[in-house]
Amino acid sequence: MTELRGSEVRKRIGWRLWQQLPLLVALVVLWMLLWGTVSWISVLSGVVVAIAVTRVFYLPPVELSGRLNPFWLLVFLCRFFFDVVVASFQVAGQAFRPRGVRSNAVIAVDLVTVSDFITTLTAITISLIPGSLVLEVDRDRSILYLHAIGVESVEEAERVRSKVLSVERAIVRAIGSADDVERTRA
Amino acid sequence: MIVESVLHWMAGGLFTAAAALALVRVVRGPSILDRMIASDVLLTTLILVVGAEMVVNGHTRTVPLMLVLSGVAIFATVAVARYVSKQDRGDGSTDSARSPGEEP
Amino acid sequence: MTLDDWLDLAAALLLVLGGFLSLAAGVGLLRFPDALSRLHAATKPQVLGLIFILAAIALEARSWSTLLVLAPVLVFQMLTAPISAHMVGRAGYRTGNFREDLLVTDELDEAIERASKETGP
């Protein structure tokens, strides 16, 4: 670490607060939803609880990319919901069909992004879609190791891999950094 | 409405059957994780039944109960999962959590 | 039939759909061959089943304030379900709680072997 002058330190602290802000706002909104009322008391107590929670259960600040495209976010959310519905009934079908499930696969997916945030979001999305779940994450190389159900051939495993990569591309388009957008396009 | 009450009974039957099947898996195991996953399904079914009861009887008083139950579900799952991984590292063998040959 | 009747009917249909997903999870628990496959069965009523039931409650109550109360239930579930699935999945993989003969490929095992060769002699 190099030495910092006073103004730079202040800038650092301001930046840190700015990074924490989305989390704080989300916590306050959640608090108000839990109470089911929007009033001065719920807002104030929410702010107090949010600050207390982020102090006590300290998490490393999330590095957001600072870019958000509402249109692609909407596209991503719609596609996510569609995927969840289709995959749910697919797995239900696998449970009921006479053949059952014959084989599975553990697949490594090398993500294009290097951002922790995008990796986490991709992992969460993949886990929420039935039929695939994340076993391990290689954070340094941003590789997800998935367990996918009902995969019967190497080609199908390949299809799951490209599916995950397309989910990643959708997330990057919505909230990834400009850098990542370039990389996923290539 | 006859159609509606028929549908309500159908849903009730489906939930009951789901809970019974989950209970079978809890009893049969074979490993701790199987039991854990099955009791998770049992608890999820319970959450859905609490929600379904609100629809049938037309009130919204037990929504917080759904929230509390899903909180209980994750704490239980995480606790057991950690316990299982720790146990494995402790004695160095994998036999405690696995009993091969029981399933077809 | 009035609009209210149709909404009630839709709510009842959603309940049946939620029940169907739950039953599919129960059947999956019994029929799937190993613990990791059964875990997939568990995640399906957790997300879509809950969405169906919450939608049914919203259709029955028909007020915006109910929607605000229902939202955290879904958000909470969507935030916690991946965590518990990952924890159980990782524990299952590490304790060998799956049938290797059923895997088409195991790229995690390959990666572990490659890593241990590199750090080895």
Side-chain angles (χ1 to χ4, degrees):
Chain A
M1 272 280 152
T2 50
E3 274 182 45
L4 295 168
R5 266 170 283 128
S7 62
E8 272 187 53
V9 169
R10 225 168 295 136
K11 218 190 246 172
R12 232 350 122 77
I13 291 172
W15 176 235
R16 184 89 56 78
L17 198 74
W18 181 244
Q19 280 187 320
Q20 293 271 323
L21 204 63
L23 181 64
L24 286 177
V25 171
L27 282 172
V28 172
V29 169
L30 181 66
W31 180 256
M32 290 195 298
L33 286 174
L34 283 175
W35 282 101
T37 53
V38 180
S39 66
W40 280 112
I41 295 177
S42 72
V43 172
L44 282 178
S45 60
V47 170
V48 171
V49 170
I51 290 174
V53 164
T54 46
R55 288 291 119 197
V56 175
F57 303 102
Y58 179 75
L59 290 170
V62 178
E63 278 177 41
L64 297 171
S65 64
R67 190 184 143 268
L68 186 122
N69 187 325
F71 171 72
W72 286 113
L73 185 65
L74 196 69
V75 169
F76 165 68
L77 288 178
C78 290
R79 240 194 75 185
F80 167 64
F81 183 72
F82 179 75
D83 280 347
V84 166
V85 173
V86 170
S88 288
F89 284 101
Q90 249 170 19
V91 179
Q94 281 167 345
F96 282 117
R97 73 180 178 196
R99 197 151 63 93
V101 167
R102 290 257 181 78
S103 57
N104 306 314
V106 176
I107 304 163
V109 182
D110 198 346
L111 296 181
V112 179
T113 178
V114 285
S115 140
D116 284 346
F117 184 59
I118 301 292
T119 310
T120 311
L121 276 184
T122 312
I124 289 179
T125 313
I126 293 303
S127 301
L128 279 175
I129 297 173
S132 53
L133 61 94
V134 177
L135 291 178
E136 295 276 353
V137 180
D138 186 336
R139 189 183 150 190
D140 295 330
R141 289 175 232 175
S142 60
I143 300 176
L144 297 181
Y145 294 97
L146 314 172
H147 183 270
I149 195 172
V151 175
E152 287 177 355
S153 63
V154 182
E155 289 83 57
E156 269 183 71
E158 218 48 56
R159 219 171 300 151
V160 173
R161 200 196 312 271
S162 55
K163 168 94 206 160
V164 173
L165 287 175
S166 79
V167 167
E168 188 208 8
R169 214 173 308 134
I171 293 176
V172 165
R173 254 188 225 140
I175 44 177
S177 62
D179 233 23
D180 274 342
V181 175
E182 281 302 312
R183 227 170 306 162
T184 46
R185 212 175 275 155
Chain B
M1 290 293 289
I2 299 164
V3 185
E4 240 178 84
S5 58
V6 167
L7 287 177
H8 286 165
W9 277 103
M10 255 173 82
L14 289 170
F15 281 126
T16 313
L21 290 176
L23 210 55
V24 170
R25 183 49 79 190
V26 172
V27 173
R28 276 179 50 186
S31 73
I32 274 192
L33 279 177
D34 288 296
R35 290 178 219 276
M36 186 61 239
I37 294 162
S39 43
D40 210 25
V41 172
L42 194 60
L43 203 54
T44 310
T45 311
L46 187 63
I47 294 171
L48 297 191
V49 167
V50 168
E53 187 269 336
M54 281 189 275
V55 177
V56 173
N57 291 334
H59 66 91
T60 54
R61 285 189 297 276
T62 44
V63 173
L65 187 58
M66 293 174 85
L67 206 60
V68 172
L69 280 176
S70 56
V72 169
I74 177 158
F75 286 132
T77 313
V78 169
V80 171
R82 289 199 64 139
Y83 164 75
V84 169
S85 342
K86 217 171 256 174
Q87 185 191 39
D88 178 52
R89 229 172 289 138
D91 59 18
S93 77
T94 53
D95 294 336
S96 54
R98 188 189 198 182
S99 46
E102 186 159 326
E103 287 304 302
Chain C
M1 275 182 41
T2 61
L3 180 67
D4 276 9
D5 289 341
W6 282 111
L7 288 178
D8 281 348
L9 195 66
L13 271 175
L14 284 173
L15 285 193
V16 174
L17 275 177
F20 168 76
L21 284 180
S22 271
L23 182 67
V27 172
L29 275 182
L30 282 193
R31 293 195 59 215
F32 286 171
D34 55 11
L36 283 184
S37 323
R38 286 173 200 142
L39 189 54
H40 290 288
T43 53
K44 130 174 64 73
Q46 270 178 352
V47 187
L48 193 61
L50 191 70
I51 290 178
F52 283 154
I53 297 296
L54 292 180
I57 297 174
L59 282 181
E60 189 72 24
R62 283 164 220 151
S63 75
W64 289 106
S65 61
T66 321
L67 217 54
L68 287 183
V69 180
L70 293 177
V73 180
L74 186 63
V75 171
F76 190 74
Q77 187 75 11
M78 280 174 101
L79 285 178
T80 56
I83 301 172
S84 61
H86 167 65
M87 294 287 286
V88 174
R90 193 174 61 169
Y93 188 85
R94 288 194 176 168
T95 53
N97 220 303
F98 60 101
R99 291 188 37 199
E100 271 165 72
D101 53 315
L102 292 184
L103 288 183
V104 176
T105 54
D106 190 346
E107 289 167 6
L108 179 52
D109 192 45
E110 290 164 18
I112 292 171
E113 250 170 45
R114 224 176 303 132
S116 60
K117 249 180 226 157
E118 275 166 22
T119 52

